[in-house]
Amino acid sequence: MAAARSSRPLILRHTANSDRHAMPQFDKSLVWFRRDLRHTDHAALYYALSQSRSVWCVFVFDTDILDALKAEGVEQDRRVDFLLASVAELDQALQKAGGGLIVLHGPAASCITNLAAELQVQAVFTNSDYEPAAVERDAAVAQALKKQGAQLLSYKDQVIFEKDEVLTQSARPFSVFTPYKNAWMARLAAAGGDFYLKPYPVEKYFKALARPAAKTPHGLPSHEAMGFRPSNLDELKIPTGMSGAEALLEDFLGRIGAYGTARDFPAVKGPSYLSIHLRFGTVSIRTLARAAMQAMHAGQGAAGAAVWLSELTWRDFYFMILHHHPRVTDQAFKPEYDAIRWEQGQHAEELFAAWCEGRTGYPLVDAAMAQINQTGYMHNRLRMVVASFLTKDLGIDWRRGEKYFARHLNDFDLSANNGGWQWASSSGCDAQPYFRIFNPVTQSEKFDPDGKFIRRYLPQLARLSDKRIHAPWTATPDERLSAGVTLGQNYPRPIVDHAEARERTLARYAVVKKSEPAE
């Protein structure tokens, strides 16, 4: 047992705030970039540079991940394009700082161990990844490096607090968000408010950066080499890289005060649109949390900033849940919810296909699905609406929706995606009660009252009145004729009756009610 424990990557806690620089411990080191594509405020890069005489940097286009997409028939993926652009910018920044980026294409585990042997490094520095597959991969890399006389050093970087850093008074993981948030905020305050939010002073140690040798691969692989075709990312004008994240943050901070209310309206510029940048680490979570705290203390936009900080805390919460309960990747957080009998058979397949393709007959749901299919983005309010519709109107297993989002979302993050789907299906921690079922029409009337969002993605309904566009079947024949809407032809009739579906859902979840443990 002791040998198994010693083979695990060493996890070092956030101590950058004190910047304890000492004599280099390593002659040569390697920094493995993954979902942290920036060269500033970067935990692993800071520790490597401050503890080593020479540091190389590497990014691997991991075929274990990319080939799995191709196996599903994927030919285009906006995330591939985002990565290519962001990695190119990172390489340029590292070159300007005196180094450069080694870029490899292959299985990440073997690429890293082979490169470490070739460069004869004593340590590989990287930032922690909490997804089960990544944890397993890193353990394998650590074991392989150990055999080579090197070590894998892993650091907290993509969250403010990780794993066991925020626990209940009985030293157990939280399962309800609000007390977790209170404890999260208390720990932040106890350390002086900004201790955990200070940036790592990476720039002080750029002199240790090593330029890749001429023979070392450093050019970006082409789409063709990776087996993909370019997507419509450029056409969508989605900002990429560190510069894109910086521009989005600057824009958002000018309207952060309205975030608390504006974020619920999909036709309004309410969100920060930084989720993909958090996913790939082109901006530091510390930068965002610090900006939120500063806005709260400044008084200007304090209410909106507090809501945004709460959303960032949800992100930490779901990472913590995934760490302590890795079974949630394919099981309900509340085990009794795995007893639910979801719809099966040909009819269920037809319902699922209609949901995926935006053919449900409920305009807000269909517009939301058009948004994700066309852009890879879906507004947060709409993620809840379509998830509720799939699980509670159509009776389809939440895992199928989760997988669809994982395939199509630019900002897909396992912990948050899983947490959101389990929340909507009532099977997760601190979830929506099963008897609270979103009505897709009233959600539409409340959060897209003028039908602006619907008209953007369902132009065939554009001429309907603001009253009728939320439920076209309620329009009179003359109103539909005047608007050029023919149900069953250019727009589908509702595939389910919401009131009837609600009753079926309550019956479906009754088995859970009988088996739920007492509070």
Side-chain angles (χ1 to χ4, degrees), residues 76-90:
Q76 296 174 302
D77 195 302
R78 299 176 192 89
R79 293 167 292 191
V80 171
D81 291 17
F82 187 93
L83 277 171
L84 283 167
S86 299
V87 167
E89 183 175 338
L90 174 61

Side-chain angles (χ1 to χ4, degrees), residues 210-248:
R211 292 194 181 277
K215 65 178 182 178
T216 305
H218 58 272
L220 295 177
S222 66
H223 283 86
E224 292 73 21
M226 291 190 290
F228 291 89
R229 293 186 293 111
S231 70
N232 65 341
L233 188 79
D234 287 342
E235 179 186 335
L236 294 169
K237 298 181 179 179
I238 295 175
T240 60
M242 296 175 285
S243 60
E246 183 179 4
L248 286 172

Side-chain angles (χ1 to χ4, degrees), residues 160 192 238 276 291 309 353 426 452 463 507:
I160 303 300
I238 295 175
I276 187 173
L309 183 62
S426 303
K452 185 177 179 180
R463 291 162 56 193

Side-chain angles (χ1 to χ4, degrees), residues 18-37:
S18 54
D19 188 24
R20 299 171 184 169
H21 180 50
M23 292 296 293
Q25 300 176 35
F26 304 103
D27 183 35
K28 294 184 288 188
S29 298
L30 178 66
V31 174
W32 178 11
F33 286 82
R34 303 183 311 190
R35 44 183 298 167
D36 43 17
L37 302 179

Side-chain angles (χ1 to χ4, degrees), residues 254-269:
R255 50 187 174 82
I256 193 171
Y259 177 77
T261 53
R263 70 185 183 123
D264 275 327
F265 296 85
V268 173
K269 190 178 181 181

Side-chain angles (χ1 to χ4, degrees), residues 52-106:
S52 312
R53 291 185 175 84
S54 296
V55 176
W56 286 273
C57 300
V58 63
F59 178 83
V60 182
F61 283 91
D62 191 351
T63 52
D64 288 340
I65 297 173
L66 297 176
D67 289 352
L69 287 174
K70 291 187 291 184
E72 296 179 1
V74 177
E75 296 181 351
Q76 296 174 302
D77 195 302
R78 299 176 192 89
R79 293 167 292 191
V80 171
D81 291 17
F82 187 93
L83 277 171
L84 283 167
S86 299
V87 167
E89 183 175 338
L90 174 61
D91 181 32
Q92 292 170 3
L94 288 170
Q95 288 186 44
K96 187 176 180 180
L101 191 64
I102 299 168
V103 180
L104 303 177
H105 177 222

